[in-house]
Amino acid sequence: MTATATGLPFDDIRRLIAAMPGPDLQAAAAVRARDENLTKPQGSLGRLEELAEWMAAWQGKSMPSVDRPLVCVFAANHGVARHRVSKYPQEVTRQMLENFAAGGAAINQICAAFDFGFKVFDLALDLPTGDITREPALDERACVATMAFGMEAISGGADLLCVGEMGIGNTTVAAAIYAGLFGGSAQHWVGRGTGVDDDGLARKIGAVELALAVHERYLTDPLEVLRRLGGREIAAAAGAILAARLQRIPVVIDGYVVTAAAAILYKLDPHALDHCVAGHISAEGVHAEVLERIGLKPVLDLGMRLGEGTGAALAASLIKAAVACHRGMATFDQAQVARAD
Amino acid sequence: MTATATGLPFDDIRRLIAAMPGPDLQAAAAVRARDENLTKPQGSLGRLEELAEWMAAWQGKSMPSVDRPLVCVFAANHGVARHRVSKYPQEVTRQMLENFAAGGAAINQICAAFDFGFKVFDLALDLPTGDITREPALDERACVATMAFGMEAISGGADLLCVGEMGIGNTTVAAAIYAGLFGGSAQHWVGRGTGVDDDGLARKIGAVELALAVHERYLTDPLEVLRRLGGREIAAAAGAILAARLQRIPVVIDGYVVTAAAAILYKLDPHALDHCVAGHISAEGVHAEVLERIGLKPVLDLGMRLGEGTGAALAASLIKAAVACHRGMATFDQAQVARAD
């Protein structure tokens, strides 16, 4: 699939944000009430109980379901890659897309293991974004068009969406977004990504410093941060997260890069991520700090830093189990199990 | 299934401990070598890479597999339950076994979600162990017979074993074992289990204090700790963990109670748990401290405290994914993906 331009300006994105539905409090209350009657000590499934309630609140169903989980990977290339901010050459983005198509990547194995749907979006790989050290990554029209394309992720239906990404150079872009949104030095936000050495790390920090200086006066608007410092996969991920909210599909955010897309939405509206959980804490630098700033509690902490939606998909398998427990467990009455004294 | 006595004394257990195989270092090295060629930045799958290597080392296969994962739940009743150390009456152990058989418990849903094998062992439920506040839980013959019965858990074959338990009163027993093995006060080791109130907590602490005083001079031998302060499900779990080692089946330990069985083996030989991982950190009191003492690093931390093997089974789903990634991912050469610069 290829991104096509639409006429949507940023104001239309703001209108969608304003139109976001809230949680279904009745569905959440129904889950809590049923949970008290299930054959286990109250609270003993811990986070699984919270996840079942959260799924109900955002699906708007008192019996949440995970029948059509979907992993979407957004892939793009970045002008800033010319500054050798990654250990890998830019061609690897395209090569990894071919690897996804052939079933050879980590995310393919995880989706196969758990029977999850899987889609990859090629976001104009042959057109890297502008080099953020001297120009905006995208113009407004292209940014919004890419967000709209990301919204298509769920057009075939899904009841749980995992958002992942692939793009050589995109941890540099994500660091620039964090600095743009939260302030602080480039050095604070930049990590080693795929594993750059000290020189590579210095180049990443230098690139983010330059980008922040060039775009400084426009960074009060989160959507300007997205188009100036971002990339197509991050814009598309933001669109997908927003579309999922409008369609009542709970979302599992992946790691350091996808969280940058989530952070843009959070800065537009602090409730914009209420339908999201963080799949995991990435091993990439400051991810844990970002999650705390945007109010997302991670499900897993496994020292992963691959992207591709791998952390989100693993967490989704636990959400599936949480929902299975809630739906399938017998009540004390049904099982004729005695309650607590 | 019902436990039957055999003639094995503790010395035979010690002989099995002495006969435990070590890791297959060649298989582990093969996993590390292959891992370096898989299409991802090195180390980017974090704990998943460690788990794949660990599986290979203990299965003794350079290509580890999770084709026959098995969850075993050992269930037993405890004389100490008469001191009202649980929120639930003792009949609940039997009722929950019926719930397992009918497919209504949490562990049933998790096993169904991940297509795991599931077995429940009824360890003479109608014969609660001796009341540890005034007598040994088991005599040596019964203790060893129960361990031998636990060894049968894997008689049908498995390539990954999750060990779980069910038994009203058994968090009191586990606390007594921890105090017996590691020293320290009853108060330090006792938690709220299924959720006892302050009076219940005081009764639990009192029971453990009494038990420690009664059995004090025998507690230098871990197997004496097991038979005097333990229970049938804990003895059977210890047997299953040991048998799995002898059969080269990696083991996922569940929570606070199963870890007491593991701790007995650890005290017999600090390498006895090298083929084990801890599925999760239980929300029950000092579980994290115990795991640190016996050198097990938990996979999950989800605030769970249900038992039944639920934490172990959830972690096993991630181990299955880790092995699937290792087995199924393409190498850089296969996928024609460029390596790092």
Side-chain angles (χ1 to χ4, degrees):
Chain A
M1 304 184 221
T2 309
T4 52
T6 73
L8 284 173
F10 279 159
D11 278 353
D12 283 336
I13 299 295
R14 292 185 220 281
R15 270 189 284 276
L16 291 176
I17 294 269
M20 291 186 308
D24 184 331
L25 299 176
Q26 277 191 309
V31 164
R32 280 196 305 279
R34 175 170 159 76
D35 195 74
E36 282 180 21
N37 291 317
L38 298 179
T39 44
K40 61 178 177 53
Q42 279 186 38
S44 62
L45 280 177
R47 186 83 194 267
L48 264 52
E49 296 177 14
E50 295 172 30
L51 288 168
E53 183 184 335
W54 166 80
M55 286 290 287
W58 293 103
Q59 290 187 336
K61 298 194 297 193
S62 54
M63 267 294 193
S65 60
V66 183
D67 296 326
R68 301 184 65 192
L70 176 66
V71 177
C72 285
V73 174
F74 298 105
N77 274 319
H78 299 270
V80 74
R82 73 175 57 136
H83 299 287
R84 294 187 296 131
V85 291
S86 175
K87 254 178 104 165
Y88 292 84
Q90 188 162 61
E91 302 82 72
V92 165
T93 308
R94 164 76 61 201
Q95 291 163 352
M96 281 302 297
L97 250 66
E98 284 162 19
N99 199 20
F100 293 146
I107 188 63
N108 296 105
Q109 319 314 317
I110 295 171
C111 287
F114 297 125
D115 198 19
F116 288 175
F118 179 54
K119 287 185 188 173
V120 179
F121 292 77
D122 170 346
L123 299 165
L125 282 202
D126 297 330
L127 288 175
T129 47
D131 174 359
I132 61 173
T133 67
R134 44 183 217 189
E135 62 187 332
L138 296 163
D139 62 28
E140 180 170 337
R141 184 187 147 99
C143 184
V144 177
T146 307
M147 293 182 77
F149 188 55
M151 292 180 187
E152 295 300 310
I154 51 170
S155 60
D159 53 16
L160 180 63
L161 176 67
C162 297
V163 180
E165 51 60 45
M166 172 72 215
I168 296 301
N170 67 11
T171 61
T172 300
V173 162
I177 288 175
Y178 293 133
L181 292 176
F182 301 124
S185 70
Q187 189 166 13
H188 176 73
W189 297 106
V190 169
R192 288 183 189 268
T194 51
V196 291
D197 59 15
D198 288 350
D199 286 351
L201 188 66
R203 287 193 297 273
K204 287 181 78 167
I205 292 169
V208 172
E209 282 173 345
L210 262 175
L212 291 171
V214 166
H215 303 285
E216 190 178 9
R217 64 200 159 120
Y218 303 101
L219 302 181
T220 50
D221 177 356
L223 289 171
E224 284 294 312
V225 173
L226 174 61
R227 84 165 183 91
R228 288 176 172 274
L229 302 177
R232 293 188 211 277
E233 75 278 57
I234 295 174
I241 294 166
L242 178 53
R245 173 65 159 264
L246 298 167
Q247 300 279 329
R248 290 205 159 280
I249 301 170
V251 172
V252 191
I253 301 292
D254 194 33
Y256 183 77
V257 175
V258 172
T259 305
I264 299 285
L265 296 173
Y266 177 83
K267 280 288 192 171
L268 289 166
D269 182 334
H271 288 293
L273 304 180
D274 291 354
H275 69 305
C276 300
V277 293
H280 73 135
I281 300 183
S282 166
E284 176 75 359
V286 290
H287 190 228
E289 178 189 331
V290 176
L291 291 179
E292 203 163 308
R293 280 178 181 264
I294 65 177
L296 294 183
K297 190 167 79 168
V299 175
L300 296 169
D301 183 3
L302 296 171
M304 292 167 59
R305 53 177 173 80
L306 176 56
E308 302 179 358
T310 50
L314 291 176
S317 77
L318 302 182
I319 295 169
K320 185 178 167 178
V323 166
C325 285
H326 187 76
R327 291 177 67 95
M329 283 179 72
T331 63
F332 283 102
D333 288 347
Q334 285 169 338
Q336 296 182 284
V337 171
R339 285 169 181 278
D341 289 338
Chain B
M1 302 185 228
T2 308
T4 53
T6 74
L8 285 173
F10 280 158
D11 279 351
D12 284 336
I13 300 295
R14 292 185 220 281
R15 271 189 283 276
L16 291 176
I17 294 269
M20 291 186 306
D24 184 330
L25 298 176
Q26 277 191 309
V31 164
R32 280 197 305 279
R34 175 171 159 78
D35 195 74
E36 282 181 18
N37 290 316
L38 298 179
T39 46
K40 62 179 176 53
Q42 279 185 37
S44 61
L45 281 176
R47 186 86 193 265
L48 263 55
E49 296 177 15
E50 295 172 31
L51 289 168
E53 183 184 335
W54 165 81
M55 286 289 287
W58 292 103
Q59 289 187 336
K61 299 194 297 192
S62 54
M63 267 295 194
S65 61
V66 184
D67 296 326
R68 301 184 65 194
L70 175 66
V71 177
C72 284
V73 174
F74 299 105
N77 274 320
H78 299 270
V80 74
R82 74 176 56 136
H83 300 286
R84 293 187 297 131
V85 291
S86 174
K87 254 178 104 166
Y88 292 85
Q90 188 163 60
E91 302 83 72
V92 165
T93 307
R94 164 78 62 202
Q95 292 164 349
M96 281 303 296
L97 250 66
E98 283 162 19
N99 199 20
F100 294 145
I107 189 61
N108 297 104
Q109 319 315 315
I110 294 172
C111 287
F114 298 125
D115 198 19
F116 289 173
F118 179 56
K119 287 186 189 171
V120 179
F121 292 77
D122 171 343
L123 300 163
L125 283 201
D126 296 332
L127 288 174
T129 47
D131 175 358
I132 61 173
T133 67
R134 43 183 218 189
E135 62 187 331
L138 295 163
D139 61 31
E140 181 170 337
R141 182 188 149 98
C143 185
V144 177
T146 306
M147 292 181 79
F149 188 56
M151 292 180 187
E152 295 299 310
I154 51 170
S155 60
D159 53 14
L160 181 63
L161 175 68
C162 298
V163 180
E165 51 59 44
M166 172 72 217
I168 296 301
N170 67 9
T171 61
T172 300
V173 162
I177 289 176
Y178 293 134
L181 292 176
F182 301 123
S185 69
Q187 188 166 14
H188 176 73
W189 296 106
V190 170
R192 288 185 189 267
T194 51
V196 290
D197 59 16
D198 288 351
D199 286 350
L201 188 66
R203 287 192 297 271
K204 286 181 79 166
I205 292 169
V208 173
E209 281 172 345
L210 264 176
L212 291 171
V214 166
H215 303 286
E216 190 177 9
R217 64 200 159 120
Y218 303 102
L219 303 182
T220 50
D221 176 356
L223 289 171
E224 283 294 314
V225 173
L226 174 62
R227 85 163 183 93
R228 288 175 173 275
L229 303 177
R232 294 188 211 277
E233 75 278 56
I234 294 174
I241 294 166
L242 178 53
R245 173 65 159 264
L246 298 167
Q247 300 279 330
R248 290 205 158 283
I249 301 170
V251 172
V252 190
I253 301 292
D254 195 34
Y256 182 79
V257 175
V258 173
T259 305
I264 299 284
L265 296 174
Y266 176 84
K267 280 289 189 172
L268 288 167
D269 182 333
H271 289 292
L273 305 180
D274 291 355
H275 68 303
C276 301
V277 294
H280 74 135
I281 299 183
S282 165
E284 176 74 359
V286 291
H287 189 229
E289 179 190 332
V290 176
L291 291 180
E292 206 164 307
R293 280 177 181 265
I294 65 176
L296 294 183
K297 190 167 79 168
V299 175
L300 294 170
D301 183 3
L302 297 172
M304 292 166 59
R305 53 177 173 80
L306 175 55
E308 301 179 2
T310 49
L314 292 176
S317 77
L318 301 183
I319 295 168
K320 184 177 167 178
V323 166
C325 285
H326 187 76
R327 292 177 66 96
M329 282 179 74
T331 63
F332 283 103
D333 288 348
Q334 285 170 338
Q336 294 184 285
V337 171
R339 285 169 181 278
D341 290 337

